[in-house]
PDB file of all heavy atoms in Angstrom:
ATOM      1  N   ILE A 246      31.126 -36.276   9.211  1.00  0.00           N
ATOM      2  CA  ILE A 246      31.755 -36.757  10.595  1.00  0.00           C
ATOM      3  C   ILE A 246      32.796 -37.697  10.261  1.00  0.00           C
ATOM      4  O   ILE A 246      33.847 -37.727  10.976  1.00  0.00           O
ATOM      5  CB  ILE A 246      30.591 -37.218  11.384  1.00  0.00           C
ATOM      6  CG1 ILE A 246      29.672 -36.116  11.786  1.00  0.00           C
ATOM      7  CG2 ILE A 246      31.154 -37.874  12.706  1.00  0.00           C
ATOM      8  CD1 ILE A 246      30.252 -34.974  12.492  1.00  0.00           C
ATOM      9  N   ARG A 247      32.648 -38.575   9.301  1.00  0.00           N
ATOM     10  CA  ARG A 247      33.680 -39.655   9.094  1.00  0.00           C
ATOM     11  C   ARG A 247      34.964 -39.012   8.559  1.00  0.00           C
ATOM     12  O   ARG A 247      36.056 -39.353   9.059  1.00  0.00           O
ATOM     13  CB  ARG A 247      33.132 -40.670   8.058  1.00  0.00           C
ATOM     14  CG  ARG A 247      34.149 -41.852   7.890  1.00  0.00           C
ATOM     15  CD  ARG A 247      35.066 -41.662   6.797  1.00  0.00           C
ATOM     16  NE  ARG A 247      34.358 -41.725   5.421  1.00  0.00           N
ATOM     17  CZ  ARG A 247      34.911 -41.383   4.266  1.00  0.00           C
ATOM     18  NH1 ARG A 247      36.171 -40.979   4.272  1.00  0.00           N
ATOM     19  NH2 ARG A 247      34.242 -41.450   3.199  1.00  0.00           N
ATOM     20  N   ILE A 248      34.788 -38.033   7.658  1.00  0.00           N
ATOM     21  CA  ILE A 248      35.960 -37.467   7.140  1.00  0.00           C
ATOM     22  C   ILE A 248      36.733 -36.640   8.115  1.00  0.00           C
ATOM     23  O   ILE A 248      37.933 -36.655   8.324  1.00  0.00           O
ATOM     24  CB  ILE A 248      35.583 -36.571   5.867  1.00  0.00           C
ATOM     25  CG1 ILE A 248      35.277 -37.423   4.689  1.00  0.00           C
ATOM     26  CG2 ILE A 248      36.817 -35.604   5.596  1.00  0.00           C
ATOM     27  CD1 ILE A 248      34.682 -36.611   3.551  1.00  0.00           C
ATOM     28  N   LEU A 249      35.995 -35.922   8.959  1.00  0.00           N
ATOM     29  CA  LEU A 249      36.564 -35.075   9.970  1.00  0.00           C
ATOM     30  C   LEU A 249      37.185 -35.879  11.075  1.00  0.00           C
ATOM     31  O   LEU A 249      38.371 -35.681  11.476  1.00  0.00           O
ATOM     32  CB  LEU A 249      35.543 -34.228  10.600  1.00  0.00           C
ATOM     33  CG  LEU A 249      36.029 -33.066  11.587  1.00  0.00           C
ATOM     34  CD1 LEU A 249      36.970 -32.163  10.912  1.00  0.00           C
ATOM     35  CD2 LEU A 249      34.804 -32.391  12.173  1.00  0.00           C
ATOM     36  N   ARG A 250      36.615 -36.957  11.527  1.00  0.00           N
ATOM     37  CA  ARG A 250      37.209 -37.776  12.541  1.00  0.00           C
ATOM     38  C   ARG A 250      38.437 -38.479  12.068  1.00  0.00           C
ATOM     39  O   ARG A 250      39.468 -38.580  12.784  1.00  0.00           O
ATOM     40  CB  ARG A 250      36.196 -38.868  13.092  1.00  0.00           C
ATOM     41  CG  ARG A 250      35.132 -38.316  14.021  1.00  0.00           C
ATOM     42  CD  ARG A 250      34.350 -39.445  14.697  1.00  0.00           C
ATOM     43  NE  ARG A 250      33.512 -38.920  15.766  1.00  0.00           N
ATOM     44  CZ  ARG A 250      33.904 -38.666  17.031  1.00  0.00           C
ATOM     45  NH1 ARG A 250      35.252 -38.846  17.303  1.00  0.00           N
ATOM     46  NH2 ARG A 250      33.010 -38.281  17.897  1.00  0.00           N
ATOM     47  N   GLU A 251      38.365 -39.064  10.838  1.00  0.00           N
ATOM     48  CA  GLU A 251      39.658 -39.627  10.382  1.00  0.00           C
ATOM     49  C   GLU A 251      40.710 -38.606  10.123  1.00  0.00           C
ATOM     50  O   GLU A 251      41.893 -38.971  10.356  1.00  0.00           O
ATOM     51  CB  GLU A 251      39.263 -40.483   8.959  1.00  0.00           C
ATOM     52  CG  GLU A 251      38.373 -41.703   9.204  1.00  0.00           C
ATOM     53  CD  GLU A 251      38.181 -42.394   7.920  1.00  0.00           C
ATOM     54  OE1 GLU A 251      38.402 -41.801   6.826  1.00  0.00           O
ATOM     55  OE2 GLU A 251      37.739 -43.622   8.001  1.00  0.00           O
ATOM     56  N   TYR A 252      40.395 -37.557   9.637  1.00  0.00           N
ATOM     57  CA  TYR A 252      41.429 -36.581   9.422  1.00  0.00           C
ATOM     58  C   TYR A 252      42.089 -36.034  10.740  1.00  0.00           C
ATOM     59  O   TYR A 252      43.361 -36.040  10.780  1.00  0.00           O
ATOM     60  CB  TYR A 252      40.798 -35.200   8.772  1.00  0.00           C
ATOM     61  CG  TYR A 252      41.775 -34.224   8.534  1.00  0.00           C
ATOM     62  CD1 TYR A 252      42.769 -34.229   7.435  1.00  0.00           C
ATOM     63  CD2 TYR A 252      42.041 -33.136   9.475  1.00  0.00           C
ATOM     64  CE1 TYR A 252      43.671 -33.252   7.147  1.00  0.00           C
ATOM     65  CE2 TYR A 252      42.928 -32.164   9.209  1.00  0.00           C
ATOM     66  CZ  TYR A 252      43.849 -32.232   8.150  1.00  0.00           C
ATOM     67  OH  TYR A 252      44.863 -31.319   7.900  1.00  0.00           O
ATOM     68  N   LEU A 253      41.290 -35.777  11.721  1.00  0.00           N
ATOM     69  CA  LEU A 253      41.828 -35.426  13.074  1.00  0.00           C
ATOM     70  C   LEU A 253      42.655 -36.570  13.633  1.00  0.00           C
ATOM     71  O   LEU A 253      43.796 -36.510  14.397  1.00  0.00           O
ATOM     72  CB  LEU A 253      40.785 -35.129  14.102  1.00  0.00           C
ATOM     73  CG  LEU A 253      39.967 -33.874  13.672  1.00  0.00           C
ATOM     74  CD1 LEU A 253      38.746 -33.590  14.617  1.00  0.00           C
ATOM     75  CD2 LEU A 253      40.935 -32.580  13.616  1.00  0.00           C
ATOM     76  N   GLN A 254      42.255 -37.824  13.463  1.00  0.00           N
ATOM     77  CA  GLN A 254      42.969 -39.033  13.979  1.00  0.00           C
ATOM     78  C   GLN A 254      44.279 -39.229  13.212  1.00  0.00           C
ATOM     79  O   GLN A 254      45.280 -39.439  13.872  1.00  0.00           O
ATOM     80  CB  GLN A 254      42.061 -40.287  13.862  1.00  0.00           C
ATOM     81  CG  GLN A 254      42.706 -41.539  14.565  1.00  0.00           C
ATOM     82  CD  GLN A 254      41.843 -42.722  14.356  1.00  0.00           C
ATOM     83  OE1 GLN A 254      41.484 -43.128  13.200  1.00  0.00           O
ATOM     84  NE2 GLN A 254      41.385 -43.235  15.551  1.00  0.00           N
ATOM     85  N   ASN A 255      44.244 -39.059  11.833  1.00  0.00           N
ATOM     86  CA  ASN A 255      45.449 -39.417  11.017  1.00  0.00           C
ATOM     87  C   ASN A 255      46.470 -38.164  10.907  1.00  0.00           C
ATOM     88  O   ASN A 255      47.520 -38.439  10.437  1.00  0.00           O
ATOM     89  CB  ASN A 255      44.960 -39.860   9.724  1.00  0.00           C
ATOM     90  CG  ASN A 255      44.159 -41.094   9.717  1.00  0.00           C
ATOM     91  OD1 ASN A 255      44.369 -41.970  10.684  1.00  0.00           O
ATOM     92  ND2 ASN A 255      43.158 -41.335   8.748  1.00  0.00           N
ATOM     93  N   HIS A 256      45.909 -36.992  11.202  1.00  0.00           N
ATOM     94  CA  HIS A 256      46.811 -35.831  11.028  1.00  0.00           C
ATOM     95  C   HIS A 256      46.802 -34.972  12.385  1.00  0.00           C
ATOM     96  O   HIS A 256      46.426 -33.858  12.266  1.00  0.00           O
ATOM     97  CB  HIS A 256      46.384 -35.102   9.877  1.00  0.00           C
ATOM     98  CG  HIS A 256      46.395 -35.722   8.535  1.00  0.00           C
ATOM     99  ND1 HIS A 256      45.242 -36.384   8.195  1.00  0.00           N
ATOM    100  CD2 HIS A 256      47.301 -36.000   7.652  1.00  0.00           C
ATOM    101  CE1 HIS A 256      45.504 -37.057   6.958  1.00  0.00           C
ATOM    102  NE2 HIS A 256      46.733 -36.791   6.581  1.00  0.00           N
ATOM    103  N   PRO A 257      47.345 -35.489  13.422  1.00  0.00           N
ATOM    104  CA  PRO A 257      47.217 -34.717  14.737  1.00  0.00           C
ATOM    105  C   PRO A 257      48.071 -33.457  14.782  1.00  0.00           C
ATOM    106  O   PRO A 257      47.898 -32.637  15.549  1.00  0.00           O
ATOM    107  CB  PRO A 257      47.666 -35.762  15.762  1.00  0.00           C
ATOM    108  CG  PRO A 257      48.529 -36.701  14.994  1.00  0.00           C
ATOM    109  CD  PRO A 257      47.885 -36.871  13.635  1.00  0.00           C
ATOM    110  N   ASP A 258      48.946 -33.421  13.772  1.00  0.00           N
ATOM    111  CA  ASP A 258      49.888 -32.259  13.666  1.00  0.00           C
ATOM    112  C   ASP A 258      49.398 -31.106  12.818  1.00  0.00           C
ATOM    113  O   ASP A 258      50.040 -30.079  12.711  1.00  0.00           O
ATOM    114  CB  ASP A 258      51.254 -32.651  13.217  1.00  0.00           C
ATOM    115  CG  ASP A 258      51.159 -33.290  11.825  1.00  0.00           C
ATOM    116  OD1 ASP A 258      50.134 -33.948  11.553  1.00  0.00           O
ATOM    117  OD2 ASP A 258      52.215 -33.198  11.072  1.00  0.00           O
ATOM    118  N   GLN A 259      48.208 -31.338  12.216  1.00  0.00           N
ATOM    119  CA  GLN A 259      47.728 -30.348  11.125  1.00  0.00           C
ATOM    120  C   GLN A 259      46.797 -29.337  11.779  1.00  0.00           C
ATOM    121  O   GLN A 259      46.122 -29.694  12.637  1.00  0.00           O
ATOM    122  CB  GLN A 259      46.980 -31.024  10.029  1.00  0.00           C
ATOM    123  CG  GLN A 259      47.911 -31.934   9.124  1.00  0.00           C
ATOM    124  CD  GLN A 259      48.940 -31.102   8.385  1.00  0.00           C
ATOM    125  OE1 GLN A 259      48.663 -29.970   7.893  1.00  0.00           O
ATOM    126  NE2 GLN A 259      50.142 -31.614   8.197  1.00  0.00           N
ATOM    127  N   LEU A 260      46.852 -28.128  11.252  1.00  0.00           N
ATOM    128  CA  LEU A 260      45.911 -27.045  11.763  1.00  0.00           C
ATOM    129  C   LEU A 260      45.045 -26.464  10.673  1.00  0.00           C
ATOM    130  O   LEU A 260      44.357 -25.520  10.914  1.00  0.00           O
ATOM    131  CB  LEU A 260      46.733 -25.903  12.388  1.00  0.00           C
ATOM    132  CG  LEU A 260      47.621 -26.225  13.618  1.00  0.00           C
ATOM    133  CD1 LEU A 260      48.465 -25.054  13.978  1.00  0.00           C
ATOM    134  CD2 LEU A 260      46.727 -26.519  14.829  1.00  0.00           C
ATOM    135  N   ASP A 261      45.201 -27.055   9.495  1.00  0.00           N
ATOM    136  CA  ASP A 261      44.324 -26.447   8.329  1.00  0.00           C
ATOM    137  C   ASP A 261      43.120 -27.051   8.112  1.00  0.00           C
ATOM    138  O   ASP A 261      42.934 -28.266   7.651  1.00  0.00           O
ATOM    139  CB  ASP A 261      45.331 -26.701   7.031  1.00  0.00           C
ATOM    140  CG  ASP A 261      44.714 -26.039   5.822  1.00  0.00           C
ATOM    141  OD1 ASP A 261      43.616 -25.317   6.011  1.00  0.00           O
ATOM    142  OD2 ASP A 261      45.262 -26.071   4.781  1.00  0.00           O
ATOM    143  N   PRO A 262      41.959 -26.405   8.431  1.00  0.00           N
ATOM    144  CA  PRO A 262      40.585 -27.040   8.354  1.00  0.00           C
ATOM    145  C   PRO A 262      40.182 -27.079   6.832  1.00  0.00           C
ATOM    146  O   PRO A 262      39.143 -27.694   6.676  1.00  0.00           O
ATOM    147  CB  PRO A 262      39.761 -25.997   9.121  1.00  0.00           C
ATOM    148  CG  PRO A 262      40.456 -24.645   8.911  1.00  0.00           C
ATOM    149  CD  PRO A 262      41.928 -24.988   8.974  1.00  0.00           C
ATOM    150  N   LEU A 263      40.986 -26.519   6.011  1.00  0.00           N
ATOM    151  CA  LEU A 263      40.576 -26.526   4.506  1.00  0.00           C
ATOM    152  C   LEU A 263      40.791 -28.002   3.926  1.00  0.00           C
ATOM    153  O   LEU A 263      40.041 -28.298   2.994  1.00  0.00           O
ATOM    154  CB  LEU A 263      41.362 -25.408   3.707  1.00  0.00           C
ATOM    155  CG  LEU A 263      41.076 -24.020   4.088  1.00  0.00           C
ATOM    156  CD1 LEU A 263      41.832 -23.130   3.074  1.00  0.00           C
ATOM    157  CD2 LEU A 263      39.589 -23.655   4.086  1.00  0.00           C
ATOM    158  N   ARG A 264      41.798 -28.671   4.555  1.00  0.00           N
ATOM    159  CA  ARG A 264      42.077 -30.007   3.941  1.00  0.00           C
ATOM    160  C   ARG A 264      40.908 -30.922   4.051  1.00  0.00           C
ATOM    161  O   ARG A 264      40.432 -31.607   3.058  1.00  0.00           O
ATOM    162  CB  ARG A 264      43.294 -30.513   4.549  1.00  0.00           C
ATOM    163  CG  ARG A 264      44.592 -29.749   4.233  1.00  0.00           C
ATOM    164  CD  ARG A 264      45.766 -30.478   4.589  1.00  0.00           C
ATOM    165  NE  ARG A 264      47.020 -29.624   4.294  1.00  0.00           N
ATOM    166  CZ  ARG A 264      48.291 -30.019   4.464  1.00  0.00           C
ATOM    167  NH1 ARG A 264      48.537 -31.218   4.940  1.00  0.00           N
ATOM    168  NH2 ARG A 264      49.294 -29.349   4.122  1.00  0.00           N
ATOM    169  N   PRO A 265      40.331 -31.192   5.202  1.00  0.00           N
ATOM    170  CA  PRO A 265      39.208 -32.047   5.290  1.00  0.00           C
ATOM    171  C   PRO A 265      37.990 -31.469   4.609  1.00  0.00           C
ATOM    172  O   PRO A 265      37.166 -32.172   4.042  1.00  0.00           O
ATOM    173  CB  PRO A 265      38.867 -32.136   6.885  1.00  0.00           C
ATOM    174  CG  PRO A 265      39.573 -30.961   7.468  1.00  0.00           C
ATOM    175  CD  PRO A 265      40.790 -30.671   6.614  1.00  0.00           C
ATOM    176  N   GLY A 266      37.896 -30.125   4.538  1.00  0.00           N
ATOM    177  CA  GLY A 266      36.833 -29.515   3.715  1.00  0.00           C
ATOM    178  C   GLY A 266      36.906 -29.872   2.176  1.00  0.00           C
ATOM    179  O   GLY A 266      35.878 -30.195   1.602  1.00  0.00           O
ATOM    180  N   ILE A 267      38.083 -29.821   1.725  1.00  0.00           N
ATOM    181  CA  ILE A 267      38.241 -30.167   0.267  1.00  0.00           C
ATOM    182  C   ILE A 267      37.973 -31.659   0.028  1.00  0.00           C
ATOM    183  O   ILE A 267      37.283 -31.913  -0.903  1.00  0.00           O
ATOM    184  CB  ILE A 267      39.778 -29.812  -0.169  1.00  0.00           C
ATOM    185  CG1 ILE A 267      40.017 -28.302  -0.092  1.00  0.00           C
ATOM    186  CG2 ILE A 267      39.994 -30.447  -1.538  1.00  0.00           C
ATOM    187  CD1 ILE A 267      41.405 -27.928  -0.386  1.00  0.00           C
ATOM    188  N   GLN A 268      38.353 -32.454   0.886  1.00  0.00           N
ATOM    189  CA  GLN A 268      38.065 -33.946   0.859  1.00  0.00           C
ATOM    190  C   GLN A 268      36.640 -34.137   0.859  1.00  0.00           C
ATOM    191  O   GLN A 268      36.043 -34.978   0.109  1.00  0.00           O
ATOM    192  CB  GLN A 268      38.836 -34.684   1.926  1.00  0.00           C
ATOM    193  CG  GLN A 268      38.518 -36.168   1.753  1.00  0.00           C
ATOM    194  CD  GLN A 268      39.134 -36.934   3.001  1.00  0.00           C
ATOM    195  OE1 GLN A 268      40.040 -36.492   3.761  1.00  0.00           O
ATOM    196  NE2 GLN A 268      38.775 -38.236   3.148  1.00  0.00           N
ATOM    197  N   TYR A 269      35.929 -33.483   1.805  1.00  0.00           N
ATOM    198  CA  TYR A 269      34.569 -33.637   1.899  1.00  0.00           C
ATOM    199  C   TYR A 269      33.788 -33.163   0.656  1.00  0.00           C
ATOM    200  O   TYR A 269      32.879 -33.916   0.161  1.00  0.00           O
ATOM    201  CB  TYR A 269      34.021 -32.743   3.073  1.00  0.00           C
ATOM    202  CG  TYR A 269      32.531 -32.726   3.283  1.00  0.00           C
ATOM    203  CD1 TYR A 269      31.892 -33.988   3.478  1.00  0.00           C
ATOM    204  CD2 TYR A 269      31.742 -31.577   3.530  1.00  0.00           C
ATOM    205  CE1 TYR A 269      30.545 -34.080   3.772  1.00  0.00           C
ATOM    206  CE2 TYR A 269      30.364 -31.698   3.786  1.00  0.00           C
ATOM    207  CZ  TYR A 269      29.774 -32.866   3.867  1.00  0.00           C
ATOM    208  OH  TYR A 269      28.345 -33.033   4.185  1.00  0.00           O
ATOM    209  N   MET A 270      34.147 -32.131   0.004  1.00  0.00           N
ATOM    210  CA  MET A 270      33.506 -31.640  -1.281  1.00  0.00           C
ATOM    211  C   MET A 270      33.735 -32.792  -2.366  1.00  0.00           C
ATOM    212  O   MET A 270      32.780 -33.028  -3.038  1.00  0.00           O
ATOM    213  CB  MET A 270      34.086 -30.323  -1.647  1.00  0.00           C
ATOM    214  CG  MET A 270      33.462 -29.143  -0.855  1.00  0.00           C
ATOM    215  SD  MET A 270      33.815 -27.515  -1.565  1.00  0.00           S
ATOM    216  CE  MET A 270      35.653 -27.447  -1.108  1.00  0.00           C
ATOM    217  N   GLN A 271      34.930 -33.250  -2.438  1.00  0.00           N
ATOM    218  CA  GLN A 271      35.267 -34.320  -3.387  1.00  0.00           C
ATOM    219  C   GLN A 271      34.425 -35.554  -3.291  1.00  0.00           C
ATOM    220  O   GLN A 271      33.765 -36.057  -4.125  1.00  0.00           O
ATOM    221  CB  GLN A 271      36.653 -34.678  -3.351  1.00  0.00           C
ATOM    222  CG  GLN A 271      37.640 -33.463  -3.810  1.00  0.00           C
ATOM    223  CD  GLN A 271      38.999 -33.725  -3.654  1.00  0.00           C
ATOM    224  OE1 GLN A 271      39.461 -34.572  -2.768  1.00  0.00           O
ATOM    225  NE2 GLN A 271      39.899 -33.002  -4.276  1.00  0.00           N
ATOM    226  N   GLU A 272      34.295 -36.075  -1.982  1.00  0.00           N
ATOM    227  CA  GLU A 272      33.565 -37.271  -1.696  1.00  0.00           C
ATOM    228  C   GLU A 272      32.071 -36.950  -1.767  1.00  0.00           C
ATOM    229  O   GLU A 272      31.243 -37.936  -2.081  1.00  0.00           O
ATOM    230  CB  GLU A 272      33.994 -37.777  -0.436  1.00  0.00           C
ATOM    231  CG  GLU A 272      35.460 -38.390  -0.371  1.00  0.00           C
ATOM    232  CD  GLU A 272      35.773 -39.323   0.772  1.00  0.00           C
ATOM    233  OE1 GLU A 272      34.857 -40.196   1.031  1.00  0.00           O
ATOM    234  OE2 GLU A 272      36.818 -39.311   1.278  1.00  0.00           O
ATOM    235  N   LEU A 273      31.598 -35.717  -1.376  1.00  0.00           N
ATOM    236  CA  LEU A 273      30.269 -35.441  -1.432  1.00  0.00           C
ATOM    237  C   LEU A 273      29.638 -35.430  -2.809  1.00  0.00           C
ATOM    238  O   LEU A 273      28.625 -35.832  -3.090  1.00  0.00           O
ATOM    239  CB  LEU A 273      29.969 -34.178  -0.682  1.00  0.00           C
ATOM    240  CG  LEU A 273      28.487 -33.801  -0.513  1.00  0.00           C
ATOM    241  CD1 LEU A 273      27.695 -34.809   0.216  1.00  0.00           C
ATOM    242  CD2 LEU A 273      28.475 -32.437   0.246  1.00  0.00           C
ATOM    243  N   GLU A 274      30.491 -35.018  -3.738  1.00  0.00           N
ATOM    244  CA  GLU A 274      30.062 -34.935  -5.138  1.00  0.00           C
ATOM    245  C   GLU A 274      29.806 -36.469  -5.513  1.00  0.00           C
ATOM    246  O   GLU A 274      28.779 -36.699  -6.308  1.00  0.00           O
ATOM    247  CB  GLU A 274      31.168 -34.398  -6.088  1.00  0.00           C
ATOM    248  CG  GLU A 274      31.243 -32.899  -5.945  1.00  0.00           C
ATOM    249  CD  GLU A 274      31.895 -32.230  -7.167  1.00  0.00           C
ATOM    250  OE1 GLU A 274      32.133 -33.024  -8.086  1.00  0.00           O
ATOM    251  OE2 GLU A 274      32.325 -31.088  -7.060  1.00  0.00           O
ATOM    252  N   LEU A 275      30.589 -37.345  -5.225  1.00  0.00           N
ATOM    253  CA  LEU A 275      30.347 -38.817  -5.497  1.00  0.00           C
ATOM    254  C   LEU A 275      29.049 -39.296  -4.871  1.00  0.00           C
ATOM    255  O   LEU A 275      28.317 -40.060  -5.485  1.00  0.00           O
ATOM    256  CB  LEU A 275      31.620 -39.643  -5.138  1.00  0.00           C
ATOM    257  CG  LEU A 275      32.915 -39.328  -5.674  1.00  0.00           C
ATOM    258  CD1 LEU A 275      34.050 -40.243  -5.119  1.00  0.00           C
ATOM    259  CD2 LEU A 275      32.814 -39.484  -7.214  1.00  0.00           C
ATOM    260  N   LEU A 276      28.810 -38.933  -3.653  1.00  0.00           N
ATOM    261  CA  LEU A 276      27.642 -39.417  -3.000  1.00  0.00           C
ATOM    262  C   LEU A 276      26.362 -38.806  -3.601  1.00  0.00           C
ATOM    263  O   LEU A 276      25.414 -39.472  -3.829  1.00  0.00           O
ATOM    264  CB  LEU A 276      27.699 -38.943  -1.447  1.00  0.00           C
ATOM    265  CG  LEU A 276      26.354 -39.192  -0.620  1.00  0.00           C
ATOM    266  CD1 LEU A 276      26.141 -40.545  -0.442  1.00  0.00           C
ATOM    267  CD2 LEU A 276      26.602 -38.423   0.710  1.00  0.00           C
ATOM    268  N   ILE A 277      26.458 -37.498  -3.887  1.00  0.00           N
ATOM    269  CA  ILE A 277      25.336 -36.820  -4.494  1.00  0.00           C
ATOM    270  C   ILE A 277      25.029 -37.425  -5.944  1.00  0.00           C
ATOM    271  O   ILE A 277      23.818 -37.644  -6.337  1.00  0.00           O
ATOM    272  CB  ILE A 277      25.449 -35.293  -4.706  1.00  0.00           C
ATOM    273  CG1 ILE A 277      25.456 -34.670  -3.193  1.00  0.00           C
ATOM    274  CG2 ILE A 277      24.471 -34.667  -5.493  1.00  0.00           C
ATOM    275  CD1 ILE A 277      25.849 -33.288  -3.094  1.00  0.00           C
ATOM    276  N   ALA A 278      26.110 -37.710  -6.703  1.00  0.00           N
ATOM    277  CA  ALA A 278      25.937 -38.286  -8.069  1.00  0.00           C
ATOM    278  C   ALA A 278      25.188 -39.624  -7.965  1.00  0.00           C
ATOM    279  O   ALA A 278      24.377 -39.928  -8.862  1.00  0.00           O
ATOM    280  CB  ALA A 278      27.364 -38.455  -8.742  1.00  0.00           C
ATOM    281  N   LYS A 279      25.512 -40.474  -6.981  1.00  0.00           N
ATOM    282  CA  LYS A 279      24.898 -41.745  -6.776  1.00  0.00           C
ATOM    283  C   LYS A 279      23.437 -41.535  -6.468  1.00  0.00           C
ATOM    284  O   LYS A 279      22.533 -42.263  -6.913  1.00  0.00           O
ATOM    285  CB  LYS A 279      25.655 -42.424  -5.666  1.00  0.00           C
ATOM    286  CG  LYS A 279      25.041 -43.830  -5.489  1.00  0.00           C
ATOM    287  CD  LYS A 279      25.732 -44.664  -4.352  1.00  0.00           C
ATOM    288  CE  LYS A 279      25.205 -46.031  -4.140  1.00  0.00           C
ATOM    289  NZ  LYS A 279      25.920 -46.772  -3.104  1.00  0.00           N
TER     290      LYS A 279
END
């Protein structure tokens, strides 16, 4: 939810849902590793 909300707020001109998805996987790996 944090990644999605910030992405929508910071990129109002974007239509590609893969970008926040990629960011989510990258940050989720760090969370899971912890």
